[in-house]
Amino acid sequence: MNNEQQNTNKKAYVAAQADYLDKLAQHCDYALTLQTNLPTYAISNATMEQRLDATRSSLNQFRLRLNRLLTGNGWLRNEKYVPVFVAAIEGTQNTYDKNRTLHIHIALGNLPLAATHDLLEDGIRQLWAATAVGTTDIKLDKLTKGTEQRWNEYIGKEAHKGNLEVIDYSNTQAPKHILATI
């Protein structure tokens, strides 16, 4: 495959991902950023891969515990209770800034009505800090109508810079009734 075909394929992938995220964004209520304790300054590709694996593993543990916090076992018994969870792991391309760490942007939705901002923020902070790479440095913002698309564009921005694996699909989840609308 020549370079022109590769570029065309990459652009098509980025466009398809953006379209998918735009449609999923309509079901998201919160923007979340989680910081890790994993610096990215001047590390090798092998070390970055190890840190990405550790981040994905911690994110998986966090997501499952968040599901339980929000729904008890409801998300296991009834597909409609599964929260929308779209995660992007960023920082892999920033090895030149001493103050940067791997961090995760998340779009959350399909949450129970009892999930207030304060409950979410406190629970998320505790759950994330309890993981191997988590810190208490989190930021949770309510998405207002019209900002959902912008947040999902933001979390997918590294794809435009060549990081096609920025969206962590292994930790992305959405209930079937929402996926059926996409």
Side-chain angles (χ1 to χ4, degrees), residues 59-118:
L59 187 58
N60 180 265
Q61 178 186 45
F62 167 78
R63 179 180 53 83
L64 295 175
R65 289 180 178 170
L66 181 64
N67 287 350
R68 185 170 302 273
L69 172 73
L70 294 172
T71 70
N73 283 334
W75 70 282
L76 293 170
R77 291 192 306 267
N78 188 338
E79 173 73 22
K80 291 182 179 180
Y81 295 142
V82 172
V84 173
F85 189 97
V86 182
I89 301 173
E90 291 189 343
T92 60
Q93 297 180 330
N94 185 348
T95 59
Y96 52 85
D97 187 336
K98 291 181 181 181
N99 299 317
R100 296 292 176 131
T101 62
L102 285 179
H103 57 283
I104 303 156
H105 296 302
I106 299 169
L108 289 173
N110 197 42
L111 305 178
L113 295 176
T116 65
H117 187 276
D118 290 341

Side-chain angles (χ1 to χ4, degrees), residues 4 34 44 51 58 61 82 89 91 111-112 123 157 162 180 182:
E4 187 176 324
L34 307 172
S44 69
R51 290 181 181 181
S58 288
Q61 178 186 45
V82 172
I89 301 173
L111 305 178
K157 69 185 176 297
I182 296 177

Side-chain angles (χ1 to χ4, degrees), residues 15-35:
Q17 179 173 275
D19 181 57
Y20 173 75
L21 292 176
D22 282 348
K23 291 174 182 169
L24 202 51
Q26 300 168 23
H27 304 281
C28 295
D29 304 309
Y30 284 93
L32 174 63
T33 300
L34 307 172
Q35 294 295 331

Side-chain angles (χ1 to χ4, degrees), residues 35-51:
Q35 294 295 331
T36 72
N37 58 16
L38 302 173
T40 59
Y41 178 69
I43 62 172
S44 69
N45 287 340
T47 300
M48 182 64 78
E49 282 302 315
Q50 290 172 340
R51 290 181 181 181

